[in-house]
Amino acid sequence: MTVVMHFINGAQVANSSNRTGKVFNPALGQVIREVALAETKDAKAAIQAAQDAFPSWRDTSLTKRQQIMFNFREILNASKEELAAIVTQEHGKTLPDALGEVTRGLEVVEYATAMASHLKGSYSESVSTSIDVYSIKQPLGVVGIISPFNFPAMVPMWFFPIAIAAGNTVVLKPSEKNPSAAIWMAEKLKEAGLPDGVFNVLQGDKVAVDELLTNKVVQAISFVGSTPIAKYVYETGTAHGKRVQALGGAKNHMLVLPDADLDLVADSAINAGFGSAGERCMAISVVVAVEPIADELVAKIQSRMATLKVGDGTRNCDMGPLVTKEHRDKVASYIEIAIADKATVVVDGRGITVDGDANGFWLGPTLIDNVPTSSRVYKDEIFGPVLAVVRVSSYEEGLELINNGAYGNGTAIFTNDGGAARRFQNEVEVGMIGINVPIPVPVAYYSFGGFKSSLFGDTKAHGAQGVHFFTREKTITSRWLDPSHGGINLGFPQN
Ligand code: NAD
């Protein structure tokens, strides 16, 4: 069985021990390869390679850095189906969905091709007599990126194009569940002309993460994953003097006002609830229906669910399997919890007919109505194709529910009332808001991130905040003396 290796200093490198993890094809329910699980020694080697590459990469001209990013953009764009196929094989999402993920990553690469513009500083002439002040943005050094299983291509691309184009060197630790996409991207960056050591991939688990969090050479950490690990990463990384942005889990609500177009709402709830089998941090997992529309809306969602095809992502299906058997079983267990909590299971996704191998990790789309807000079905991040419906009597009640939640990643309001939507965007305590848009993932030139338990640290991913995260600013006060100027003055200059 092949073992997916590290990529250090421009080449694939074997692990120092024979510790490995299993990589599944979730649609077949089979182990298709293994992945190296780094020891501390391997993590140190990856960090060392990035450290060695930093001085000359930092001093490489912006023009050259942009050109390499542009070359990578061209290679990626020409071969994106290849990367999408790798994502589908190890994650399970359908090929069109995987291609969508790659395309969203590509947009960040395109944003990074304009790094010269993003890095422009400012200049103020004659702030005092003969004194000018200006600022420059410089790279940090070695940065670590730790990514989750659900977007093996896009989430790394939220960070590394900006980090690299800004002059940093990178160690990426992808999810051990789907490690191959990172190696594919490393090979393509090399082909694009990126010098060895600027982008390294470290395969592994907590051992690798802990070295990145504590090693003095690493200046910053971008993490995406579940909330408990995000909190751990933030606390450990900052305690070791690092700049950390740690994006965590989510529980996203869709607030539906009675005046909304219910056909648009039902289509949107299906797309946002069951796309990628609900394994998206921006998935809608709770529909909050403001009465009296709940019965009509639930019927519309239910009838659409009957048309969804579940199966192997390489076939013509709407939804693939879940990522592992354990995760599928955990997600399915929420249907029992719903029954115990006296919610109404409208559609039960267990035991559905699929267009795929019987051993795949299947669970069909599930709809649960009248979910009590005390139930774990409402409170937990389930991260699967389980859509809950909560009925409320007013906009205010719905808003209060959303604002009382532990997470604040994404939310959406569906209404034809512009004033209500405007009030919602002002009052809701959530980082990314859709107005008649169910999955409001910001484009690359805006920044991605939520509030509360969905983001630890104050800086979001990509866009201007991404550039800010991967650079530090120097402010320079400069005086070139006019030959006629001089004399002693112990006070601050007054003019
Ligand atoms: P996860 O937290 O299990 O893993 C994320 C990363 O942390 C992986 O690289 C993993 O190897 C590492 N890790 C796991 N356990 C660790 C430990 N004990 N110590 C140190 N590192 C550890 O998350 P996942 O299951 O891969 O991904 C799904 C989660 O990611 C969901 O909660 C989802 O909401 C979240 N997510 C959030 C966003 C966002 O933008 N907020 C985006 C995508 C995914």
Side-chain angles (χ1 to χ4, degrees):
M1 185 144 298
T2 55
V3 179
V4 185
M5 295 195 275
H6 311 298
F7 188 95
I8 299 176
N9 209 13
Q12 295 193 32
V13 178
N15 209 27
S16 65
S17 76
N18 55 10
R19 210 164 64 89
T20 56
K22 293 185 171 106
V23 179
F24 286 87
N25 178 332
L28 302 178
Q30 273 175 15
V31 181
I32 48 170
R33 51 186 74 98
E34 291 182 314
V35 59
L37 297 178
E39 305 298 345
T40 304
K41 195 176 160 190
D42 304 297
K44 283 188 194 298
I47 294 166
Q48 184 68 50
Q51 186 182 20
D52 293 346
F54 177 62
S56 71
W57 182 242
R58 175 193 54 201
D59 293 339
T60 300
S61 74
L62 255 175
T63 306
K64 181 78 186 156
R65 283 192 247 142
Q66 285 193 148
Q67 277 167 356
I68 291 172
M69 211 35 77
F70 195 83
N71 293 345
F72 178 63
R73 188 262 167 214
E74 292 294 274
I75 294 169
L76 181 60
N77 193 43
S79 47
K80 57 188 175 202
E81 280 81 10
E82 228 178 87
L83 181 56
I86 294 171
V87 170
T88 294
Q89 189 192 36
E90 293 187 353
H91 176 282
K93 64 178 74 174
T94 64
L95 273 173
D97 193 25
L99 202 54
E101 145 167 19
V102 174
T103 307
R104 295 314 295 263
L106 187 71
E107 289 169 9
V108 184
V109 178
E110 287 167 353
Y111 179 76
T113 62
M115 191 51 72
S117 175
H118 306 318
L119 287 186
K120 278 199 290 192
S122 51
Y123 197 105
S124 301
E125 191 188 28
S126 295
V127 297
S128 187
T129 307
S130 298
I131 292 186
D132 303 333
V133 175
Y134 52 98
S135 65
I136 54 176
K137 291 180 185 147
Q138 295 191 319
L140 306 174
V142 177
V143 301
I145 299 168
I146 302 159
S147 57
F149 81 83
N150 66 322
F151 285 108
M154 182 187 77
V155 166
M157 281 193 275
W158 278 355
F159 306 105
F160 76 70
I162 294 175
I164 290 174
N168 300 280
T169 56
V170 170
V171 178
L172 165 66
K173 208 297 288 171
S175 168
E176 61 274 45
K177 294 192 177 82
N178 35 33
S180 300
I183 296 293
W184 187 94
M185 292 189 286
E187 296 284 7
K188 299 299 179 194
L189 282 164
K190 187 178 167 89
E191 196 181 321
L194 193 70
D196 292 348
V198 175
F199 181 75
N200 306 279
V201 179
L202 177 67
Q203 307 288 3
D205 52 14
K206 181 172 165 56
V207 175
V209 171
D210 282 348
E211 182 59 25
L212 286 171
L213 296 180
T214 55
N215 191 303
K216 281 200 179 67
V217 169
V218 179
Q219 302 299 311
I221 296 285
S222 298
F223 171 92
V224 180
S226 59
T227 288
I229 310 295
K231 191 163 182 289
Y232 167 75
V233 164
Y234 182 77
E235 287 170 356
T236 312
T238 52
H240 285 81
K242 298 181 201 320
R243 190 179 280 202
V244 181
Q245 51 179 184
L247 285 75
K251 187 86 183 176
N252 304 318
H253 298 66
M254 173 194 269
L255 181 62
V256 186
L257 301 194
D259 70 338
D261 174 340
L262 293 190
D263 287 304
L264 173 69
V265 174
D267 287 344
S268 301
I270 295 277
N271 298 343
F274 306 125
S276 207
E279 290 171 333
R280 286 182 183 144
C281 69
M282 289 295 277
I284 289 292
S285 43
V286 186
V287 173
V288 182
V290 179
E291 292 291 24
I293 47 124
D295 282 343
E296 189 185 347
L297 179 57
V298 168
K300 283 181 186 289
I301 295 173
Q302 184 181 5
S303 71
R304 282 162 172 78
M305 286 172 73
T307 67
L308 292 178
K309 273 171 62 185
V310 179
D312 191 314
T314 59
R315 301 184 194 172
N316 186 21
C317 296
D318 300 299
M319 199 186 101
L322 277 88
V323 71
T324 58
K325 181 179 182 304
E326 294 69 36
H327 187 55
R328 190 271 315 273
D329 293 346
K330 183 177 166 215
V331 173
S333 74
Y334 280 93
I335 302 172
E336 287 303 323
I337 295 173
I339 294 165
D341 290 345
K342 307 216 164 13
T344 317
V345 179
V346 182
V347 181
D348 187 334
R350 294 173 295 186
I352 42 126
T353 309
V354 297
D355 181 10
D357 193 286
N359 295 316
F361 307 137
W362 309 110
L363 180 67
T366 297
L367 183 63
I368 306 175
D369 194 5
N370 296 304
V371 176
T373 53
S374 55
S375 171
R376 285 181 50 212
V377 175
Y378 174 72
K379 289 193 286 198
D380 293 359
E381 180 184 41
I382 299 175
F383 219 57
V386 176
L387 188 60
V389 179
V390 175
R391 296 167 179 235
V392 295
S393 60
S394 65
Y395 163 87
E396 286 78 9
E397 197 187 333
L399 178 77
E400 195 184 341
L401 203 60
I402 300 172
N403 284 350
N404 284 340
Y407 302 98
N409 211 43
T411 189
I413 186 169
F414 278 75
T415 179
N416 281 317
D417 182 338
R422 190 168 180 276
R423 185 173 158 194
F424 183 72
Q425 77 180 27
N426 176 258
E427 293 177 340
V428 76
E429 289 165 24
V430 173
M432 293 173 282
I433 301 163
I435 296 176
N436 298 317
V437 172
I439 310 182
V441 174
V443 287
Y445 40 97
Y446 282 80
S447 298
F448 185 106
F451 292 175
K452 300 196 271 190
S453 295
S454 296
L455 174 64
F456 299 89
D458 59 3
T459 314
K460 299 183 177 194
H462 61 69
Q465 294 199 30
V467 176
H468 176 72
F469 185 78
F470 287 118
T471 54
R472 55 185 182 177
E473 192 174 82
K474 282 181 181 163
T475 311
I476 296 132
T477 304
S478 149
R479 176 168 64 179
W480 291 100
L481 282 186
D482 186 289
S484 64
H485 187 88
I488 292 172
N489 181 354
L490 299 194
F492 281 121
Q494 299 288 312
N495 48 48

